[in-house]
Amino acid sequence: MGIFVDSPHGAPNHVLINEYMPGQGIMPHEDGSAYYPLVATVSLGAPIVLDLYTKRKSEGQEGQDEDGAEERRPQFRILQERRSLLVTTSGLYTDFLHGIAESTREKGLGPESVCNWDLLREKDRYENGWFDRATRISLTYRDVIKVAKVGNKFKFLNGR
């Protein structure tokens, strides 16, 4: 697909594998400047909703928590279907925090609350406005900008 063609290494050089059980989430965060501002996430197993939060604009701003998310209300919600690919880049990568709520049920789903509703393959599965979570595996591909060259420092691993 060539989505990493402009990244420093021209391809992802790092993959993170996460398993999310029902009820597990991850607090709103940003991935930071160690990575090229492009992430490709493959979702396997169950679907999940990724929440995007506006980042703090300045220190001590009213209506924000210590993580910089404005009142913990997502600005956008992305429904990541099973067997889907989500590519996050540019301002979406740099200007927002992303997180997954700690919940056993995704609620409030519909075209007015899910920004990618028109792109979903299985809309009828979510038309009731909710679904119970099941186990999800995510594969997150990135290009780490600076890679340490360790060279022969690990010769002991070869039994020498």
Side-chain angles (χ1 to χ4, degrees):
M1 289 176 35
I3 59 175
F4 283 90
V5 70
D6 292 329
S7 72
H9 299 97
N13 61 3
H14 177 269
V15 64
L16 177 65
I17 303 170
N18 280 314
E19 177 182 59
Y20 295 93
M21 305 298 289
Q24 288 183 317
I26 185 166
M27 65 184 285
H29 67 281
E30 62 183 327
D31 291 339
S33 60
Y35 304 104
Y36 182 74
L38 184 145
V39 176
T41 304
V42 175
S43 289
L44 303 174
I48 198 92
V49 172
L50 181 73
D51 294 319
L52 299 173
Y53 299 84
T54 304
K55 283 182 10 181
R56 182 182 327 197
K57 294 173 184 69
S58 63
E59 289 297 317
Q61 189 172 17
E62 291 290 321
Q64 295 178 338
D65 64 17
E66 66 275 3
D67 299 321
E70 291 190 10
E71 298 178 3
R72 291 273 189 207
R73 285 192 307 259
Q75 181 77 29
F76 300 104
R77 300 179 78 209
I78 299 172
L79 200 161
Q80 292 183 253
E81 292 183 284
R82 54 191 176 165
R83 299 183 311 273
S84 67
L85 169 67
L86 173 65
V87 177
T88 308
T89 188
S90 303
L92 201 57
Y93 180 90
T94 57
D95 300 340
F96 290 87
L97 303 176
H98 58 278
I100 296 171
E102 291 183 348
S103 176
T104 57
R105 177 175 281 183
E106 296 287 2
K107 298 183 240 176
L109 305 177
E112 66 288 338
S113 64
V114 174
C115 66
N116 64 323
W117 186 264
D118 291 336
L119 299 173
L120 298 177
R121 293 183 316 251
E122 301 179 300
K123 280 185 211 144
D124 56 328
R125 184 175 181 191
Y126 314 109
E127 284 180 346
N128 63 1
W130 63 272
F131 67 87
D132 287 325
R133 283 202 194 159
T135 303
R136 172 188 176 247
I137 306 289
S138 68
L139 307 173
T140 304
Y141 296 88
R142 298 182 183 104
D143 187 347
V144 179
I145 293 174
K146 281 191 170 185
V147 179
K149 295 187 180 192
V150 292
N152 294 329
K153 293 182 181 180
F154 292 106
K155 276 187 178 179
F156 67 92
L157 293 175
N158 293 328
R160 295 182 192 163

